Amino acid sequence: MRPELTHEVRVDGLPLVCHVRGRGPVCVVHSGGPGTHGEHLRIPLAERELTMVYVEPAGTGTSAVLGADATHDLSSRVAHLHAVIRTFGAEPVFVLGRAHGGVVCQAYALRHPDQVAGLILCSTSPIADARASAATREMSRQCTVDISGAAVDARDALPSITTPTLIMTGLRDVDSAADSAALRQGNPGAQLATFRGSAHLAHLEEPERFAHLLLEFTRRISGPVRTAQV
């Protein structure tokens, strides 16, 4: 297995740090939060077959802190993710997002469908409002980015996502049933996997099954995806 590499991707002069592990087709991973660092979403078992690019979003980990006058909205997060993907993926890549990161990845798949080979949505929702952001901050207590008031409702846009999609959710997660139903209703062709023994962190609570389902999904569509040279 390839040793860990650390890359810095610049977006309009803002340095974003990415940790690269594994070998194989590229899977870019966007953590939750907003404001939670990327390390908590590491999936070691997936690194056996995939080049996992763990993004440290702006304001987290060792990435640059956003200035007081910087925009913290969804569009800026999508732009940051696009810069990372263009850096690591000469061909379409897999994109994995958890919680708020899943909201970013949904928006990315809608705006840049040609860049996404497969979309993996974990413990997330098509809806993000001020209340949801506050609840996330209360649970994580790690958020350094304020996006309160940045309401998002992607339910009407979900049918436009043509990318193969895997939805993974823990049955013990708060509102997971409603969130999964909304995602599946908007994207009926998506694969839905539920974790009976998990809440909001299925990749930690049931790591073996989580990695198995992820790799099973990526294997089915990774034929034309070229191995990353990073």
Side-chain angles (χ1 to χ4, degrees):
M1 182 177 294
R2 181 176 299 177
E4 178 182 4
L5 301 174
T6 299
H7 287 256
E8 185 178 278
V9 177
R10 288 189 170 268
V11 186
D12 297 328
L14 180 75
L16 301 176
V17 174
C18 302
H19 303 283
V20 185
R21 301 173 186 257
R23 180 183 296 274
V26 175
C27 181
V28 176
V29 182
H30 196 296
S31 59
T36 306
H37 63 81
E39 183 65 20
H40 88 289
L41 194 46
R42 187 184 171 198
I43 310 167
L45 293 175
E47 296 164 11
R48 298 175 178 177
E49 297 184 25
L50 296 171
T51 298
M52 304 294 287
V53 179
Y54 301 101
V55 182
E56 296 282 6
T60 70
T62 53
S63 288
V65 176
L66 290 169
D69 58 345
T71 57
H72 304 164
D73 60 10
L74 182 62
S75 293
S76 65
R77 295 293 173 182
V78 170
H80 294 177
L81 181 59
H82 187 54
V84 171
I85 288 174
R86 291 295 297 270
T87 297
F88 291 100
E91 301 290 334
V93 305
F94 295 102
V95 180
L96 185 156
R98 192 189 75 81
H100 175 70
V103 176
V104 176
C105 292
Q106 290 172 64
Y108 186 84
L110 286 165
R111 298 181 195 183
H112 302 283
D114 58 325
Q115 297 291 315
V116 185
L119 178 64
I120 303 101
L121 303 174
C122 309
S123 299
T124 190
S125 169
I127 305 169
D129 54 21
R131 184 179 66 176
S133 297
T136 302
R137 287 196 295 271
E138 180 64 24
M139 284 189 291
S140 67
R141 297 187 181 278
Q142 299 181 57
C143 183
T144 60
V145 181
D146 182 11
I147 64 164
S148 58
V152 175
D153 188 340
R155 286 175 293 181
D156 291 341
L158 286 176
S160 298
I161 295 179
T162 57
T163 303
T165 303
L166 170 62
I167 302 167
M168 297 198 281
T169 186
L171 290 183
R172 298 181 181 179
D173 198 357
V174 177
D175 297 327
S176 64
D179 291 339
S180 300
L183 287 170
R184 186 70 178 278
Q185 182 176 2
N187 188 348
Q191 176 185 346
L192 174 62
T194 57
F195 295 80
R196 296 185 178 277
S198 297
H200 201 53
L201 300 169
H203 68 291
L204 297 177
E205 296 163 309
E206 298 182 56
E208 293 179 355
R209 181 165 180 255
F210 187 97
H212 172 76
L213 290 172
L214 171 60
L215 293 175
E216 184 180 63
F217 172 75
T218 58
R219 286 178 195 137
R220 288 203 302 268
I221 54 179
S222 63
V225 180
R226 193 163 60 204
T227 300
Q229 300 297 321
V230 295

